[in-house]
Amino acid sequence: VQLQASGGGLVQAGGSLTLSCTASGLTFEDYAIGWYRQAPGKERAWVSCISSTDSSTYYSVLVKGRFATSRVNANNTVYLQMNMLNPEDTAVYYCAAEKYGTMCAGMDYWGEGTQVTVSS
């Protein structure tokens, strides 16, 4: 199983980025996909989750209203649209998969991260 996050980069405060997470080696529609982030000197934190069943979405209070996650099962891909970015969003972003998951409570697989840097 492989999960590949991409789309990170450098953006100014107030800008937008879209991250992608593409999976292989699993039955994609059976997995909830979560996004997590780890800022320098901090623990990894949950950002969002999209369920495997009905694509329900859940967000950390820190990003709710600014970030949106979606999935295209035909492409084995989940997206994280990030708007109104601020420097506190600077982190390495990871995607992870949980089989038959709904709220990304216990992830089975993790991908490599992609760096997001927001300048002030």
Side-chain angles (χ1 to χ4, degrees):
V1 174
Q2 287 191 325
L3 298 170
Q4 181 64 56
S6 61
L10 174 64
V11 63
Q12 289 188 331
S16 299
L17 276 177
T18 300
L19 304 183
S20 300
C21 174
T22 301
S24 61
L26 49 71
T27 304
F28 187 72
E29 56 265 32
D30 289 345
Y31 285 79
I33 303 295
W35 287 97
Y36 295 76
R37 67 187 184 185
Q38 187 166 19
K42 296 186 177 181
E43 294 187 352
R44 185 167 58 195
W46 171 71
V47 174
S48 69
C49 180
I50 186 164
S51 73
S52 62
T53 52
D54 58 1
S55 294
S56 295
T57 55
Y58 307 90
Y59 300 95
S60 161
V61 63
L62 296 176
V63 307
K64 193 171 185 177
R66 299 188 297 122
F67 291 12
T69 188
S70 60
R71 65 190 299 157
V72 178
N73 288 341
N75 295 340
N76 283 14
T77 301
V78 164
Y79 302 96
L80 184 67
Q81 173 69 42
M82 306 186 295
N83 301 318
M84 295 183 287
L85 287 161
N86 59 63
E88 289 69 38
D89 296 316
T90 295
V92 178
Y93 284 71
Y94 301 87
C95 59
E98 179 190 26
K99 193 168 186 179
Y100 303 134
T102 55
M103 298 190 69
C104 299
M107 311 313 285
D108 299 304
Y109 303 105
W110 292 84
E112 299 292 328
T114 186
Q115 176 71 47
V116 173
T117 303
V118 185
S119 63
S120 58

